[in-house]
Amino acid sequence: MTSTPTRAAELRPAGPDEPASPAVGTPGALGRRAVAALSFRNVGAVYVWLLIAVIFSVWAPDTFPTVTTVKQVLNGNAVAGLVALSVVLPLAARVFDLSVAYTMSLTSVLTAHFLVSTGLGPATAIALAMAAALLVGVVNGLVVVVLRVDSFIATLATGALIQSLITMVTNDSSITGVQLLAKPFSSIAQLDAGGITLPVLYLLLAATAIWFLLEHTATGRRLYATGFNADAARLQGVRTDRLRFLTLVTSALLAGFAGVVFASSVGSGSPSAGTPYLLSAYAAAFVGATQLRAGRFNAWGTVIAVLLLGTGITGLGLATSAQWAASLFTGSVLIVALVLTGGRIALPTVLRRRKPPQHGAGSAAGGSVSIPDKEA
């Protein structure tokens, strides 16, 4: 039996007969980092995404493996990506916002209503619609944070109220008009460069902003701490209520912007614009939580999941599958994601809690392992 080396032994210079341990920047260390970064455990959705592409390339060889399909996947899922990103920050703080779909529908119809029925300019119409989205976020924050209503129930109730307002404004009919098809409003979503439309750029910018916030700021670390253990974070001086309130406001604003982009894209204000995006948004967020930063809701993992789902749905459409196949695919991916998330977060936590404490030279040498998902 060999004893665990002490810290001094680990730092002792290698003798003439002992190979020196590789430095951090050596090709061997960089290679191991690359292998870890590209492992299935870290980016499994990318490999599943590639497998789906191969399957549909064989299934529909004349229509799927083309540049047009790539552009269709990107352009067709940019709005879905914005909605999915809108739920990342609340989920990071362990808050559910089920009103994002209704908020998206609200800004879609309000923008169209102000442009067509009142004759306001695009800038004013968009500003008023976004003000309504901001109000929704504030109301959600008050109900969830101040009144202490469970976020799942509270935002579902808020969504019902929003839907009633949408019905009152539209009478459940889409709002159309030439104002929605004319520039500059139509350019918000229809302007393109090389076949890639502006909503793809919006998606990349939003993902970059959320990634930077969560990974490179103290606020992001506090959000994760709030999500993993709000009581412990509060004892450490984190203003958890303020963070939860702000995530709901941010979520509503991003979902509202997605509604404006949707109205510009289709040239109308639809009272049910956001409904189809709710399931896919949460599916993408939970799948994204198994990627890159396993156990943490993150921006780029969510984008990967959106494109994975979009590729599958686009492939099913090109392969002329049944109409119910898309919903079946999305629901199946969500279930698999929840299984993976539960297996990779809850189980290791239970094992760590049940593992007896170790004593001896190994622990004295700094052999304790910190839990990265419990950041303060």
Side-chain angles (χ1 to χ4, degrees):
M1 179 180 296
T2 59
S3 61
T4 304
T6 61
R7 180 66 62 184
E10 292 175 355
L11 298 179
R12 184 178 63 245
D17 296 330
E18 297 178 357
S21 59
V24 176
T26 61
L30 294 177
R32 286 192 295 273
R33 286 186 177 182
V35 170
L38 297 176
S39 65
F40 186 85
R41 181 179 179 85
N42 194 45
V43 290
V46 174
Y47 298 112
V48 175
W49 182 15
L50 295 175
L51 178 61
I52 290 173
V54 171
I55 291 174
F56 284 113
S57 296
V58 175
W59 190 355
D62 297 330
T63 56
F64 185 82
T66 63
V67 176
T68 301
T69 301
V70 174
K71 295 177 181 179
Q72 181 179 350
V73 170
L74 292 174
N75 295 333
N77 292 280
V79 173
L82 290 173
V83 181
L85 288 176
S86 72
V87 303
V88 169
L89 291 179
L91 287 175
R94 197 178 289 181
V95 177
F96 281 88
D97 187 357
L98 299 183
S99 68
V100 290
Y102 304 99
T103 304
M104 175 182 170
S105 300
L106 177 65
T107 55
S108 172
V109 298
L110 286 181
T111 303
H113 172 74
F114 289 136
L115 282 174
V116 175
S117 301
T118 64
L120 296 175
T124 306
I126 293 172
L128 291 174
M130 292 303 296
L134 175 63
L135 178 61
V136 170
V138 171
V139 170
N140 282 337
L142 291 174
V143 175
V144 173
V145 177
V146 178
L147 300 181
R148 303 294 181 183
V149 179
D150 181 79
S151 62
F152 195 95
I153 303 300
T155 55
L156 190 62
T158 304
L161 295 176
I162 295 171
Q163 188 60 49
S164 66
L165 176 61
I166 293 172
T167 303
M168 181 178 66
V169 173
T170 65
N171 197 25
D172 279 337
S173 300
S174 296
I175 300 175
T176 58
V178 294
Q179 296 90 337
L180 299 171
L181 303 175
K183 295 180 179 180
F185 182 74
S186 62
S187 300
I188 294 174
Q190 299 180 23
L191 190 64
D192 70 278
I196 304 298
T197 57
L198 277 181
V200 178
L201 177 61
Y202 305 149
L203 175 63
L204 295 177
L205 291 176
T208 301
I210 293 175
W211 163 78
F212 184 82
L213 173 67
L214 291 177
E215 302 296 335
H216 296 282
T217 66
T219 300
R221 291 191 292 273
R222 291 171 185 139
L223 276 174
Y224 280 134
T226 300
F228 283 114
N229 194 327
D231 293 333
R234 193 179 300 111
L235 291 174
Q236 293 295 323
V238 177
R239 297 182 177 181
T240 56
D241 287 345
R242 174 183 294 183
L243 289 175
R244 295 169 68 213
F245 188 99
L246 292 177
T247 60
L248 289 169
V249 172
T250 305
S251 174
L253 288 174
L254 191 51
F257 178 69
V260 174
V261 174
F262 180 85
S264 174
S265 177
V266 301
S268 68
S270 173
S272 59
T275 305
Y277 292 100
L278 184 60
L279 176 60
S280 61
Y282 275 92
F286 276 97
V287 172
T290 67
Q291 304 301 302
L292 303 178
R293 301 282 286 169
R296 301 186 181 191
F297 294 98
N298 63 89
W300 292 116
T302 301
V303 172
I304 291 173
V306 167
L307 296 178
L308 184 155
L309 293 170
T311 300
I313 293 173
T314 300
L316 289 172
L318 294 175
T320 63
S321 60
Q323 293 183 352
W324 46 263
S327 297
L328 176 64
F329 176 79
T330 302
S332 301
V333 170
L334 178 56
I335 291 174
V336 172
L338 290 173
V339 171
L340 290 175
T341 304
R344 292 170 59 177
I345 301 173
L347 183 57
T349 302
V350 171
L351 293 178
R352 282 196 294 267
R353 288 175 179 173
R354 292 182 179 179
K355 185 176 180 180
Q358 297 180 353
H359 302 283
S363 59
S368 61
V369 179
S370 62
I371 301 175
D373 58 358
K374 297 291 185 181
E375 290 185 5

